Amino acid sequence: MSDKSNPYKVPTTGHVWDDNLAELLNDPPKWWMIGFWASIAMVVIYFLVYPSIPLVHTHFKGLMGWTAIKELKQDVSAIEKVRAKYENRLPGMSAAAILADDELTQYVTRSAKVLFGDNCAACHGTGGAGNPNFPVLVDDDWLWGGKIENIVQTITNGRRGNMPAHAGKLSQQEIADLAKHVKALSEGGEYAPGKEIFMGKGACFACHGQDAKGMTALGSANLTDGIWRFSGTEEGIIYTIAHGVNDPKDPQTRNAVMPKFGGKMSKTEINKLAVYVYKLGGGQ
Ligand code: HEC
Ligand code: HEC
């Protein structure tokens, strides 16, 4: 071994490679050794404190008796304590009374999200954003009214708008003219030949109103606002007029039934959902 291979004057293992690479016997740094022993100590402590070692029929339970279920139950009961402050006040309160209380409203809009997700989102979309053929609940366009009482009614009793199929009552030409008129209405104009049928032979005004803005008592759509329940293309409008909505005599009719939740849900749950929907953005 030449001196050149170990210029550090440290004990070596005796291995030398290539004539000048010696394997030195330095101790690791102190901070490293402290970390090393501390990690081993941590493992031992962890094994003693938490459930760790599997035994034949059971397992070592740990000195603290900790389990994930216990921790969950503690967390849940802590949350329930916070909720109870609000939940205890809700039964017996009307939806309007909840709305009049800012703190309760905030609590309800947050907590009813899950209820909405479980019961309503399948049709109305996440957060009420709407799905094809199901109304958007986040806008201020209402078929059945956006007052809090209207919304409670809608959820409790369900809704079913009715528009008869007109294919048998009007000619294709008349229906096409009507569709042109309805489309023009939604863009702020009108189409005279269609308007004549709307106000006359078609009697559309009877449900949609003289101004075509709809009637919440009938759930008839506002035809002037450019917001479409079904379709805003001329073809789509022709289809709606020809086959109607919920017309039991026309198998191709458009279906639009809001199911009834009264009886399936508690009054408190319905009120919560009504406040939630009201606060989605369009309550009146
Ligand atoms: C099976 C599908 C379906 C489910 C589930 C459903 N809805 Fe509806 N909902 C509808 C349809 C369809 C309409 C439109 C009825 C119509 O066109 O007249 C509607 C209408 C409404 C309206 C009236 C909108 C307006 O413009 O006036 C509200 C409010 C509403 N739903 C809330 C809810 C809430 C809250 C839930 C959950 C408890 C819910 N819906 C569950 C299908 C559903
Ligand atoms: C008996 C009442 C009634 C009559 C008459 C009626 N409608 Fe309707 N109409 C409705 C209802 C209710 C709806 C809404 C259905 C829904 O969204 O649930 C509707 C929806 C519509 C829609 C769909 C709007 C959209 O947003 O997609 C169009 C278009 C329409 N009607 C046009 C007409 C025309 C044109 C006439 C005349 C031929 C007519 N309606 C006659 C009740 C009526």
Side-chain angles (χ1 to χ4, degrees), residues 33-263:
M33 287 310 287
I34 292 172
F36 178 72
W37 288 112
S39 339
I40 291 177
M42 267 310 293
V43 170
V44 174
I45 294 168
Y46 198 93
F47 257 64
L48 290 176
V49 170
Y50 286 100
S52 46
I53 306 157
L55 306 171
V56 179
H57 294 295
T58 170
H59 60 274
F60 173 63
K61 302 253 182 338
L63 299 177
M64 282 192 346
W66 179 93
T67 70
I69 295 283
K70 250 191 224 166
E71 186 170 285
L72 175 74
K73 281 186 182 148
Q74 279 163 3
D75 287 354
V76 169
S77 86
I79 292 169
E80 269 168 4
K81 232 178 250 157
V82 176
R83 285 191 178 161
K85 183 173 135 204
Y86 304 108
E87 288 289 342
N88 294 342
R89 291 175 59 200
L90 291 176
M93 268 180 106
S94 70
I98 298 172
L99 267 182
D101 184 319
D102 276 351
E103 211 188 338
L104 265 185
T105 301
Q106 272 194 20
Y107 166 73
V108 164
T109 46
R110 268 183 273 127
S111 67
K113 212 181 232 167
V114 176
L115 207 55
F116 188 88
D118 289 349
N119 294 285
C120 322
C123 290
H124 290 288
T126 314
N131 266 333
N133 285 330
F134 294 102
V136 173
L137 300 179
V138 293
D139 61 12
D140 57 359
D141 181 57
W142 298 95
L143 291 160
W144 299 98
K147 297 208 182 75
I148 188 69
E149 313 87 72
N150 302 140
I151 301 173
V152 171
Q153 275 289 316
T154 298
I155 304 172
T156 308
N157 300 325
R159 299 283 194 184
R160 185 191 179 92
N162 251 76
M163 166 162 159
H166 284 78
K169 299 171 198 152
L170 301 172
S171 71
Q172 262 178 339
Q173 184 58 49
E174 286 168 326
I175 291 179
D177 286 348
L178 272 172
K180 273 207 182 95
H181 177 54
V182 168
K183 183 134 179 64
L185 281 173
S186 73
E187 289 154 3
E190 54 180 56
Y191 177 67
K195 186 177 185 185
E196 209 181 306
I197 309 165
F198 193 94
M199 293 305 210
K201 186 176 174 194
C204 314
F205 70 90
C207 290
H208 289 281
Q210 305 265 359
D211 57 3
K213 292 206 160 121
M215 299 181 191
T216 52
L218 298 173
S220 55
N222 181 345
L223 302 177
T224 66
D225 58 7
I227 297 174
W228 299 98
R229 262 290 276 121
F230 303 109
S231 166
T233 64
E234 247 175 73
E235 258 172 33
I237 300 171
I238 288 175
Y239 189 100
T240 307
I241 301 172
H243 299 290
V245 180
N246 294 325
D247 184 335
K249 287 184 295 249
D250 187 330
Q252 282 167 279
T253 195
R254 293 198 188 273
N255 294 306
V257 179
M258 161 69 194
K260 157 186 163 128
F261 285 87

